[in-house]
Amino acid sequence: MHATGTKHSRRRSRSAKLAALLVGVALVAAACGDDDAATTTDDSAAAEQNATTTVEASSPAAAGDFSDLKVVMILDGSIDDGGWNTAHKLGGDAISAAFPGSTVEYVVEIAPGQTATNAFEDAVAADADVVIGTTFYQDDMMDVAAANPAVTFLTWAGFETAPNVGHFDGASEDGRYLDGMVAGSLTESNVIGYAAGFPYNEVNRAVNAFTLGAKAVNPDVEVQLVFLNTWFDPAVEQQAAEALVNAGADVLAHEVGAQVYATVAAQAGGYVIGYTNDWSQIEPEAWASSFLYNWGPYYVSQVQAVVDGTWEPAITFGGLKDGFISFAPYGPAVTPEILALVEAKKQEIADGTFDMFAGPITSNAGVVVVAEGATIPFETRTECCQWLVDGVVGEIPG
Amino acid sequence: MIGRVIVTPRAKPSPLVRAGVPLLSLLVALASGAVILVLTGADPIEVYRTMFDASLNGTAPIERTLTYATPLILTGLAAAIAFRMRVYNIGAEGQLFIGAIAASGLALKLPSTTPKFVMVAVMLLGGAVAGALWAGFAALPKAFFGTDEIVTTLMLNFVALAFMNYLIFGSYSFWRDPSRPVPQGNAIPDSAVLPTISGRLHVGFLIAVALAVSVWLLVRGTTFGFRLRTIGDSPRAARYAGIGVPVATIAVFAISGALAGVAGAIEVSGVTNRLDPKALAIELGYTGIVIATVARMHPLGVLPVAVLLAAVATSGSSMQAIGVQSEVVVLLQGLIFLSVTAGEFFVTNRLGLRPVPRGGPSEPVEALADAGDVPDAADSLRASVGGAL
Amino acid sequence: MDATGVKGDDTRAVSLQVRDLSKSFYGVAAVDEVSFDLVSGEIHGLLGENGAGKSTLCSMLAGLYRPDSGRMLLDGQTVHLRSPEDAATLGIGMVYQHFRLVERFTVAENIVLGRGIGVGRQARRDVERRVHELGEEYGLAVDASRAVWQLSVGERQRVEILKQLFRGARVLILDEPTAVLAPHESDRLFEAVRRMADAGHAVVLVSHKMQEILGHTDRVTVLRRGRNVGSGETAAQTHAALAAMMFGSELAGVGSDVEHSSRSPGPTVLKVSDLRVTGDHGRAAVDGVSFEVRRFQIVGVAGVAGNGQRELHEALAGLRSGVTGSIEIDGHDLSGAGPKARHRAGLAYVPEDRLGTGLAAGLTIEHNMVLRSFDRAPHSAAGRLKARAIRETSGRLVQEFDVRGARDGMPVSFMSGGNLQKAILARELTEDHEVLVAASPTRGLDMSAAETVRGHVRRERSTGRGVLLFSEDLAEVLELSDVVLVMFKGLIVGRFERDDVDVEHVGLLMTGASVTGDEVHRGHEDNQSGIRHRKVSL
C-alpha cells in the first residue's frame, strides 16, 4: 500500500483539492466512530502481545503539558484520501490526543526524491522533535537524520540503521486473509475478481493471503487476478472491473486506487472488498469489508519513548497481533454467521494460534512452495512472494 | 472616472520596465497573499520569512533551490526552443523519463570502475540521444504527415511513464534492485554520481546553465538558429528563403528531446542516484512549458524563471511545517507565479488611459484590418481591456 | 423605418465639420490638427500619399479610432463617436478597401447582419426589395438573394455601399474604392457615387490617384504627413498643383520619366511552357500558359485579381506544389527545383505579400536582408553566422536602396510599406540575378515609393535582365511593359506589343466581359509565344 494509496491520493487531491478535503474529512469523520471501537479492541490485544516487536503498550502518557513537543508528518499524498494517508493522519490524531498541547503538523504532497529531502530539512528547521515519513523516504532522509542526531525519525518500510532512525511497516496480509474469508463466503459464482497494480512481493503476498482466506471458507473459489500496471487510472480500472464482472466475478477486490470497483460491483448486484479504504457510505449495498492500517498505537508508543528518553532505534513489522491492522465497518451482506467465523479467525491470528502460511502450500503452477510442516515466518514474510497460490487465476508477468 | 484602457505593444521595453515590473508584480502577489494568510489565521511575516529562509536565505537554501531548478532549466529550454519554432513539443516529461532510463541503464551496465568523467559523459550523452530518439516518434509524423505533435507527444508521455513504472514496479528488470522489499531502482555506482559544487548542489546546475547559453548561441549565432527563427516567425517566408521546414522540424524536435533527456540523466546522476519513477514523475516536463512561456521562449530568460519557480516550489514544505495548510501554500505559490507571469504582459505592452466623454460601458474597439496609412499600427494589437476604471 | 425594421435611404441634407482632429500612434502624429468641411451633394476628395494620414482620418470619422483631440460637428452638433455603430447611427458609413462580408451569406443577409432585423420570409423579402430599389436608384444593381461568394469584386463593393445606404448613411466614406476594380468598373462606380451626391449624400473619396480626384470630385483636401496642406474646389486645381501639395518640394517631376528601352530585346531568359497550377481549392488556377521573357524586356501581366496571377508567380518562384509544365531560366530547366535553387539560378522574386512571404515580419532588417543568403559566405561559415558581415550587407543594401525606418533590434513590421518593398528589392536584386518576377510591387505604396520601385524595374531592363511584372494597376502595366499579357480565368487571353496596345481592348479582355461564348479556343495557337486567344467582339 503505501505506494498504491499514496499515488491514488496524490492524483485525486490535485484534481479537486478543496472539494476532496471537505468531502474526505466528512467521510472520514463519519467512518471514525466505528473504527475507533475496533482499534480499541486491537489495542488491548496488542498490549498483551509483542513478542517480536518493540511495540510497547501504548498506555496514554500521564497528563501533562507537551507544548514543547512537535511532530511533523510527511506524506506523499493528501490526508483526505480515505486510504493510506488518512490512516496516518488518524495516527497523528492519536499523538495529539495522547500528548495534550503538542503540535502535529502534516506536510503533504511530498514526492520522494529531492522534494522529500527538502521537506525533512524543513521539518527539522521548524523544530520538530519527531519526523514521521509515511512512504518510502529512506533514501531521501538518511543524510538529514545523520546531520540532526537530536531529532528522531520514523519512516515507513526502511531498513538502514542509524541511531536516530526507526522504521515501520504493517502486515497487510493479516487483514487480507480475513477480507478473503468474507469474499469467499459472499460469492455465489465462486469467482472473485481482483485488480492489482504492479506485481511485487507485498502485492503478491496480499493476493495469496486473500485467496487462502477465501479458499478456507469456500474451497471451490477462484480468484481472477489482473495486473493493471498503473497506480491510479480510473479509465483502465473501470475497464478491468467490468471485464472481471463479465468473467463471472460477483465479488470485486482491488489494490489499485479508484472507486470504480464499488460502482461496478453495485451495478452488477455484487459486492466489493476495499483496500485500506472504507466505502461503506459510498455503495452501502455492495459494500462488504476492508482492512485498515492502524498506526496510532505505534506512533504514540514511539513518541512516548522519545519523551521518556528511552527511545531506541528498531525496525518494526507489525500485524494484527501488534494492533497495526483494523477493519472498516462490515457491509449488510456480511451475516452474523460469516462475521462470527471472521472474528474467530481474527482472534486466532492475533493470538498466534493460526499461521496462514503453514505448509503445505501449492502455487497455481502446481509447485509446492511451502512444504508440509514448514511455514513462512512472520519476520521474513517481506521476502515473499514471487509466486501465486493455487486458486489464483493469473500469473506474475515478466 | 469613466475610462478605457488602451493596450499597445512596446517596440522595445526599457531596462527599467524590464526589471521593475516583475519586482512590482512580486510585491503585489506578496501583499495579496498576506491578506489570505491573515484570513486563514497565519502570520504573514513569519510565513514569508520561512519561505525566504527555506529557498534563498543562506548557502544551503540556495543550494537546494538551484538543485531543484536544474531540471526545470533544461525542460524549460526544451520547450523554449521547440515552441519558438512553433513546434509544440509538450513531451519533455516523457523524454526526461526516457533520458533517465537510458542514463541509469548505462551507469548500471558500464563497469563501476569507469572513470567518473567518462561515466558521467556517457550517461549525459546517452540521456540526450534517448530523449532525442523518443522525441523522434513525434517528430517524424509531424514533419512528413503533419500529425499534430501536441497529441503525439502527450501520448508518448504516458507511454514513457508506463514504461518507467514497469521497469521498477512491474518487473524485475535490469534497473530494479531485487533485494529491496519495496520496488526500487538499483543504485548507480559512485563513479556515475555527479560531483557536487557545494552541499547538495551538483555540477548538473552548471551544465544546465552552459546548455542555456549554448542554446542561446545556437539560436542567435548559427545558420540553424537562423532557419529556426525564420520558420518560427513566418513559415511562408522560410519556404521562400528555401528553408526546409520538415528537416528543421525534426532537428528542433531532436534538440528539444535531447535537452529533456539530459534533464533526466542529470536527475539520475545528481539527485536520485537510481531510476526512481516517483522522484522523476513530478511534472518537471510540464513545468518546463510554463517556464518557457513566462520566459517568452528566450533561452537565457529560462534561467531566472526556473530559479524563481524552484524557489517558490522548494519553500512549500517549509510553510506546511509551520502549519500553513497545503491548500494555502499552493494558492500562495500560484499567486506569486501568476503575478510575475501577468507582469510580463505589462513589460511588453503599454497601457494608456482614454477618458470616455459619454457614460456607459465601452465596447471593444474593432480591429483595424487595413491601416496602411499608419506604419506603426499595421501590426499592432489593439485590445480594449476593462471598462470603467 | 417600416414595421419590419427595414431602414430606408436617408437623403436629408447633412453637413460635417471636422475641426483640428489629431491622432498619434506611439508618439508619432498620424493625423495632426486636420480640419475640413463636408456638405450634402458633394464628392470630397481626400488626396495624399500612403502614410499621409488618410486612413487614420477616415477611421476617426467612422468611429473606429477615437481622436486624441479635436471635434467633429454633424449638422452643427458636436458628436463623439465611440464605435462604428455610433457612427452608423448618426448616418456616417465607411466602405473599406478590404470588404467585410460573410461569403456564405446572401447579399441581403450581409446587409442586415448585426442589425437585429428578423430573418422571417416577409422581412427578407422587404430587405431584398429595398436593396433592389436602392440598387436601381443609384446604379448599383446586384441580386440581393445571391451568396456573396458568387459575386465579383465589383459586385461585392456595391454590396458594401448598399449596406451603408441601407443603414441610412448620409455621409459615405469610400477608402481607395478603385484599387480593386477594372477600369470600366471604376467608371461605373463613379457614376453611382455622383448619383448619391446628387441625391443629397455627402461623399468622401479617398484616393492617391490624381486622375480620379481631378475627374470625379467637387472639392479636394490634400493631406501630407498628417496635416491638411490645402483644400479647395477641384476645378480650380491642376495636376501639377496637387502634386506639389502632396509631395511638397521633395519630389519634382514624378511620373515624367516615361523613357523606354531603345534597344530591341535580347535572348530569352525565362521560358514557360504549358504551365498548369492547381489552386488552393483543387481546381486548375493556371490552365496551361506559355510565354517567354527576354533580356532587356519587361513583360507585364494585366488582369483582375483572382484570375490565376498569384498562382502563376508563386509557381514560378517554386512556392507551389501541383505544378506541371516547364520553367526554364537561361535554358536551364528548373521545373522541379525548389525556391532556393531557382534563386541561385538567377530568379529574383518580389512576392505579393511583403510581410509574411517577402519578409519575416517579426524579425529585424538584418535578418531579412540575408534571408536568401544567410547560409553562404560571407554571411556564415561552417554553420556559424557572421554577424559583422551580415550587418555590413544589410547596411549596404539599406543605404543603396534608401530603406528607411529600420532600427536596431526592431521587427520590420514597424516599417512602412514603401520601405518594406525597398528592402525586398534590395535583397532580391543581387548582382547575379537574371530575371525579376515582381508581383504587385507598388500596391499600397505612396507615389514616391511606387515611383522608386518602378525605377528599379526599369533599371532591371536597362541592365539586361528580363522582368515579369504582375500588377492589378493597368496604368502601371501599360506604362512599364514592352509586352502586355492579359490573364483571365487561368489563361493568357491576349498579348500586345507595346506599340499595339489598345487600352479598351485590354480592359475588356481583363474582365472577360465581351468575350463571345465561354469556350476558349484551346487549339488555336497564335503567335510565337503560343498565346491562346478568345474571340473578342466589341
Side-chain angles (χ1 to χ4, degrees), chain A:
Chain A
M1 334 221 76
H2 47 23
T4 313
T6 50
K7 204 68 186 179
H8 169 195
S9 60
R10 185 136 62 99
R11 294 297 177 93
R12 201 176 59 174
S13 67
R14 269 181 198 166
S15 56
K17 192 163 300 234
L18 275 174
L21 177 75
L22 294 174
V23 176
V25 166
L27 287 177
V28 168
C32 273
D34 297 314
D35 243 12
D36 287 349
T39 305
T40 320
T41 340
D42 292 337
D43 277 1
S44 51
E48 297 163 86
Q49 300 283 332
N50 55 33
T52 63
T53 75
T54 63
V55 176
E56 297 298 330
S58 54
S59 55
D65 179 24
F66 294 96
S67 55
D68 284 346
L69 178 63
K70 180 162 184 175
V71 177
V72 175
M73 185 181 287
I74 297 170
L75 305 102
D76 187 7
S78 71
I79 51 178
D80 57 13
D81 65 355
W84 178 259
N85 291 301
T86 299
H88 286 286
K89 167 67 166 64
L90 293 173
D93 289 346
I95 299 173
S96 298
F99 303 94
S102 66
T103 309
V104 182
E105 300 289 4
Y106 302 90
V107 178
V108 302
E109 313 278 4
I110 301 298
Q114 56 174 319
T115 318
T117 307
N118 293 343
F120 277 90
E121 286 177 351
D122 290 336
V124 172
D127 295 327
D129 301 296
V130 180
V131 184
I132 302 173
T134 63
T135 190
F136 191 82
Y137 289 134
Q138 173 190 276
D139 296 344
D140 310 315
M141 49 69 64
M142 290 308 284
D143 290 346
V144 183
N148 298 282
V151 181
T152 304
F153 294 83
L154 304 175
T155 76
W156 179 82
F159 47 84
E160 286 177 23
T161 53
N164 59 337
V165 180
H167 303 289
F168 64 94
D169 196 1
S172 65
E173 57 273 16
D174 283 5
R176 222 47 185 152
Y177 187 88
L178 299 174
D179 285 341
M181 288 177 68
V182 173
S185 306
L186 292 178
T187 181
E188 284 167 18
S189 65
N190 288 335
V191 178
I192 300 169
Y194 197 119
F198 294 97
Y200 55 91
N201 287 5
E202 186 179 355
V203 177
N204 302 341
R205 193 165 73 243
V207 171
N208 289 340
F210 181 89
T211 307
L212 288 169
K215 283 185 74 97
V217 295
N218 183 351
D220 298 330
V221 85
E222 55 180 41
V223 174
Q224 289 273 356
L225 174 67
V226 288
F227 286 106
L228 302 181
N229 287 316
T230 179
W231 294 119
F232 177 73
D233 187 338
V236 169
E237 294 178 60
Q238 175 85 25
Q239 284 174 11
E242 287 169 1
L244 289 169
V245 166
N246 290 337
D250 58 354
V251 179
L252 290 182
H254 72 99
E255 175 263 319
V256 243
Q259 265 177 26
V260 296
Y261 309 99
T263 47
V264 170
Q267 278 159 16
Y271 302 104
V272 65
I273 308 279
Y275 192 92
T276 72
N277 36 33
D278 176 3
W279 291 335
S280 58
Q281 306 301 309
I282 290 161
E283 293 290 352
E285 291 302 309
W287 177 246
S289 76
S290 175
F291 82 96
L292 302 172
Y293 282 112
N294 181 38
W295 307 107
Y298 170 74
Y299 286 162
V300 170
S301 71
Q302 294 291 299
V303 174
Q304 182 68 53
V306 170
V307 168
D308 296 345
T310 57
W311 189 88
E312 293 287 334
I315 297 172
T316 308
F317 181 60
L320 202 55
K321 61 179 166 23
D322 310 301
F324 275 46
I325 303 294
S326 65
F327 289 87
Y330 291 98
V334 181
T335 59
E337 293 77 36
I338 300 173
L339 199 56
L341 214 58
V342 170
E343 286 296 336
K345 190 60 79 183
K346 187 192 288 179
Q347 194 60 44
E348 287 180 36
I349 295 173
D351 293 346
T353 52
F354 173 72
D355 179 0
M356 68 181 80
F357 288 119
I361 296 176
T362 311
S363 80
N364 65 352
V367 178
V368 177
V369 284
V370 181
E372 173 96 49
T375 186
I376 303 168
F378 189 79
E379 297 74 21
T380 59
R381 273 192 194 171
T382 55
E383 290 163 22
C384 178
C385 308
Q386 281 303 304
W387 42 264
L388 296 170
V389 75
D390 182 39
V392 177
V393 180
E395 59 184 26
I396 298 171

Side-chain angles (χ1 to χ4, degrees), chain B residues 30-191:
Chain B
L30 294 179
S32 36
V35 174
I36 295 167
L37 287 169
V38 168
L39 288 177
T40 59
D43 174 3
I45 307 279
E46 189 202 356
V47 171
Y48 287 146
R49 175 173 299 152
T50 306
M51 201 171 169
F52 179 66
D53 285 348
S55 58
L56 295 168
N57 190 15
T59 316
I62 288 175
E63 282 162 14
R64 71 189 222 179
T65 291
L66 296 184
T67 309
Y68 195 86
T70 300
L72 296 178
I73 291 170
L74 292 165
T75 54
L77 285 173
I81 193 169
F83 281 40
R84 184 148 191 167
M85 211 193 89
R86 303 189 193 193
V87 167
Y88 298 103
N89 171 22
I90 56 169
E93 185 84 5
Q95 290 142 17
L96 182 147
F97 299 156
I98 297 297
I101 291 168
S104 53
L106 287 166
L108 295 172
K109 198 86 193 168
L110 289 173
S112 60
T113 53
T114 310
K116 180 164 285 219
F117 178 79
V118 176
M119 187 71 128
V120 169
V122 168
M123 286 172 74
L124 296 188
L125 210 64
V129 170
L133 290 177
W134 192 253
F137 287 118
L140 297 178
K142 160 81 178 173
F144 294 116
F145 310 114
T147 311
D148 184 357
E149 73 275 25
I150 294 179
V151 176
T152 49
T153 52
L154 187 65
M155 297 312 293
L156 284 166
N157 286 348
F158 293 127
V159 175
L161 178 62
F163 181 51
M164 181 170 68
N165 279 335
Y166 172 78
L167 291 179
I168 298 303
F169 303 112
S171 66
Y172 279 89
S173 70
F174 174 67
W175 281 263
R176 168 129 170 223
D177 181 350
S179 69
R180 290 193 162 200
V182 178
Q184 296 279 318
N186 268 313
I188 58 174
D190 285 344
S191 56

Side-chain angles (χ1 to χ4, degrees), chain B residues 4 6 8-12 84 218-227 229-231 233-243 350 354-382, chain C residues 23 25-26 28 30 49-56 59 64-68 80 82-84 86 97-98 100 175 318-320 339-340 349 351 353 356-363 367 370-372 374-375 380 383-385 408 413-416 424 427-428:
Chain B
R4 177 186 285 200
I6 304 284
T8 44
R10 299 177 200 263
K12 283 191 92 176
R84 184 148 191 167
L218 179 77
V219 170
R220 228 187 112 83
T222 67
T223 53
F224 175 77
F226 190 99
R227 292 188 176 92
R229 281 181 285 151
T230 311
I231 296 171
D233 187 80
S234 167
R236 277 182 299 148
R239 277 199 63 201
Y240 172 59
I243 293 169
R350 190 196 307 267
R354 166 57 31 87
V356 175
R358 289 194 299 190
S362 310
E363 287 161 43
V365 176
E366 203 178 317
L368 185 68
D370 177 44
D373 243 20
V374 190
D376 272 357
D379 200 47
S380 76
L381 165 82
R382 297 184 47 77
Chain C
K23 178 77 186 173
F25 295 98
Y26 315 109
V28 177
E49 294 188 81
N50 267 79
K54 303 188 300 289
S55 290
T56 306
S59 295
L64 196 60
Y65 288 162
R66 271 185 250 166
D68 295 339
H80 298 285
R82 288 182 298 125
S83 68
D86 277 4
Q97 214 171 331
H98 296 276
R100 291 154 181 224
D175 190 8
L319 295 177
R320 293 196 78 92
K340 191 185 242 172
Y349 176 55
D353 55 334
T357 302
L359 298 166
L363 301 176
H367 186 111
V370 297
L371 200 57
R372 297 273 216 177
F374 70 94
D375 53 353
S380 64
R384 287 189 55 191
L385 294 174
D408 222 20
S413 59
F414 284 87
M415 288 162 54
S416 71
I424 294 174
R427 185 190 62 214
E428 293 298 309

